[in-house]
Amino acid sequence: MLKETRKTDPTLAELVDEELHRQEQNIEMIASESTVPVPVMELSGSVFTNKTLEGYPGARYQAGSHVADKVERLAIERAKELFQAEHVNIQTYSGTSANYSVFAAVLKPGDKILSMRLDQGGHLTHGSPANWMSGFYEHRFYGFNPETEQIDYGELERMAMEENPKLIIAGGSSYPRLIDYERIAGIAKGVGAYFMVDMAHIAGLVAAGVIPSPIPHADFVSSSTTKTFCSARSGMVFSKKEHAKLLDRGTFPGSLGSIHLHTMAAKAWSFKYAATDEFKEIMEQVVINARTLSRELGRQGFRVVSGGTDNHLLVVDLRGKGITGKVFQGALDGIGITVNKNLIPFDPEKPSITSGVRIGLTSVTQRGLKEEEIIGIAEIMNRVADNPKDENVLKECKEDAQKLIARFPLYPEGTFMD
Ligand SMILES: *Cc1c(COP(=O)(O)O)cnc(C)c1O
């Protein structure tokens, strides 16, 4: 890989090398990250990137589509089979544009959306005032029960009945628990709203059957294909058969241009790979590792939001340790553990400071880390939290972190030899 880039642009080639080195050396625990298998990189860089096409297989706007049609049909068949879905659109470019596809499919300007509060884990595209799209719709938000730190279904139901939204959204970026899709589907049905689940974070766990799938319950299920799905930087949207035409129109021409055939091919590979025992075992271990970290951090005196996790991520309340999310993120980054600061439910701190961090287990699990190493990471995290400014302790922690991760190569040796 990169043979021609090395010849023509050594500056960029060096930056790729530098980034590879950074990823190899780091304990990567950003919950939205994962490592793509090499075929995903190969296909993302394949000649399919040269082909411009709009429309759908059998109904394209440009000539020369017969191979592309085979790729898209193959990807669709595999995705439907893997997720047991009635319909899927795999043209969308990302999790963000997947959501836009659904909005374009079923909403008109001024329509009302009921979604999870953004400071409790909802995504920017679910109605953040900072997102340009939010101005077109009316947004209402449901939140958490302060006791359980999980979705307050009673509040959700009350709001749905009072507000009569056109669309109800479930799913978020830092929600560590299972969601009762059936219950929300019932609420949506009762008020005549469409129900969409944004499974961007958990698609890999769902594909592997490690956690319940929203697909039987929701009208639409949008997703990124990065994150736990470990595939190309792209997206996908599932729907009930009855909404297939709406979804396809909302995607193209509703919200996208020409297809990205190269990432589509990479996704097709992943739809096959995600059905293998190898992928299932990784996803099972992701959940075991997340639970292990949650338990160990609890043992070290951290408070884990909602008391634990059912998926690949956890949110940790740092107030008991007397440090903020910002300080902890910075101190961990300095020793080679990458996490991100994150608001905890009802956080007294600003979003730029926060009282918590969000930690994800996908990348480290792909590298082969199991319970023993996760316990080691919890112990390092605890030393950092107790001594965030002590140079000597931090130096020791950095050495320990590097020693720990060095035994687990990011990619098999020789993968990137030119
Ligand atoms: C990450 C995320 C998205 C956006 O996905 P991208 O592929 O980054 O555009 C959408 N929704 C949720 C809940 C997410 O976590």
Side-chain angles (χ1 to χ4, degrees):
M1 259 179 239
L2 292 182
K3 216 160 56 192
E4 292 303 316
T5 308
R6 268 184 222 297
K7 275 192 235 157
T8 52
D9 193 341
T11 311
L12 259 180
E14 263 168 44
L15 289 176
V16 177
D17 291 341
E18 195 179 332
E19 175 62 10
L20 175 62
H21 184 70
R22 185 194 70 81
Q23 292 183 12
E24 275 171 344
Q25 297 272 306
N26 252 266
I27 301 183
E28 201 63 70
M29 303 186 93
I30 306 266
S32 41
E33 291 188 8
S34 57
T35 308
V36 301
V38 175
V40 169
M41 274 190 247
E42 287 179 350
L43 289 162
S44 297
S46 66
V47 291
F48 285 127
T49 199
N50 297 334
K51 187 74 198 117
T52 297
L53 276 179
E54 293 163 318
Y56 291 98
R60 305 286 192 185
Y61 288 81
Q62 296 83 2
S65 72
H66 67 280
V67 185
D69 287 2
K70 285 190 221 170
V71 173
E72 185 161 0
R73 286 197 174 110
L74 180 67
I76 288 171
E77 281 319 304
R78 286 180 177 176
K80 279 167 66 176
E81 164 101 32
L82 177 68
F83 285 95
Q84 295 288 297
E86 292 175 13
H87 179 71
V88 66
N89 188 307
I90 42 128
Q91 294 200 351
T92 184
Y93 306 149
S94 67
T96 296
S97 77
N99 289 344
Y100 295 161
S101 290
V102 178
F103 297 172
V106 299
L107 299 178
K108 298 216 162 35
D111 279 347
K112 208 180 271 177
I113 302 177
L114 177 61
S115 60
M116 190 155 76
R117 276 173 55 164
L118 306 171
D119 61 355
Q120 296 184 347
H123 189 254
L124 277 172
T125 51
H126 300 178
S128 163
N131 182 285
W132 69 287
M133 188 71 97
S134 67
F136 300 144
Y137 307 115
E138 266 198 67
H139 292 279
R140 298 291 184 275
F141 301 96
Y142 58 88
F144 288 0
N145 174 325
E147 294 294 312
T148 60
E149 297 178 303
Q150 297 184 45
I151 293 170
D152 185 338
Y153 294 94
E155 182 189 35
L156 198 168
E157 180 160 26
R158 263 193 315 282
M159 289 191 74
M161 281 161 59
E162 277 166 24
E163 301 283 354
N164 263 308
K166 185 85 180 281
L167 178 69
I168 298 179
I169 304 178
S173 305
S174 54
Y175 196 69
R177 292 306 197 170
L178 301 180
I179 294 174
D180 190 343
Y181 304 121
E182 199 172 349
R183 184 158 176 195
I184 304 178
I187 295 170
K189 198 156 186 213
V191 300
Y194 289 104
F195 177 33
M196 169 181 128
V197 175
D198 180 342
M199 66 165 181
H201 261 268
I202 54 171
L205 302 171
V206 168
V210 172
I211 62 172
S213 171
I215 286 174
H217 306 291
D219 295 298
F220 299 93
V221 177
S222 60
S223 187
S224 154
T225 47
T226 56
K227 308 192 180 177
T228 52
F229 196 63
C230 308
S231 186
R233 202 142 274 285
S234 190
M236 56 189 168
V237 194
F238 301 88
S239 81
K240 296 278 180 226
K241 204 170 191 161
E242 66 203 88
H243 307 314
K245 277 217 176 78
L246 273 179
L247 174 61
D248 288 349
R249 234 182 288 135
T251 306
F252 179 85
S255 56
L256 298 184
S258 60
I259 62 173
H260 288 188
L261 197 56
H262 56 311
T263 49
M264 197 182 272
K267 285 183 278 188
W269 183 89
S270 296
F271 293 137
K272 182 172 178 224
Y273 173 64
T276 62
D277 289 342
E278 180 181 308
F279 185 75
K280 279 193 188 124
E281 277 161 28
I282 294 170
M283 289 296 117
E284 276 163 11
Q285 189 66 41
V286 165
V287 176
I288 293 169
N289 284 350
R291 287 202 181 127
T292 303
L293 185 62
S294 167
R295 189 191 65 225
E296 287 304 309
L297 288 177
R299 208 173 268 172
Q300 310 268 14
F302 293 85
R303 193 185 75 86
V304 177
V305 167
S306 83
T309 176
D310 300 314
N311 57 27
H312 64 299
L313 68 83
L314 48 149
V315 178
V316 182
D317 177 356
L318 302 165
R319 289 174 301 176
K321 293 283 181 185
I323 55 170
T324 63
K326 185 172 181 221
V327 168
F328 196 41
Q329 172 188 311
L332 285 177
D333 194 31
I335 66 141
I337 298 181
T338 324
V339 303
N340 63 279
K341 62 179 188 278
N342 206 90
L343 291 169
I344 58 168
F346 311 101
D347 201 321
E349 296 285 356
K350 292 184 294 195
S352 57
I353 308 288
T354 81
S355 301
V357 287
R358 183 186 70 159
I359 309 176
L361 280 296
T362 315
S363 289
V364 291
T365 307
Q366 286 179 284
R367 288 178 82 151
L369 276 67
K370 295 214 158 68
E371 290 92 313
E372 186 190 331
E373 293 80 28
I374 300 301
I375 292 169
I377 290 174
E379 190 269 324
I380 296 172
M381 284 181 166
N382 187 42
R383 267 191 285 155
V384 172
D386 287 343
N387 308 278
K389 300 222 160 71
D390 186 322
E391 296 292 335
N392 290 328
V393 173
L394 292 179
K395 189 162 166 278
E396 271 174 31
C397 288
K398 184 170 185 171
E399 283 165 13
D400 290 348
Q402 285 195 345
K403 226 182 283 164
L404 190 152
I405 203 65
R407 290 187 284 129
F408 300 90
L410 184 69
Y411 285 100
E413 210 183 323
T415 300
F416 300 107
M417 301 293 277
D418 284 335

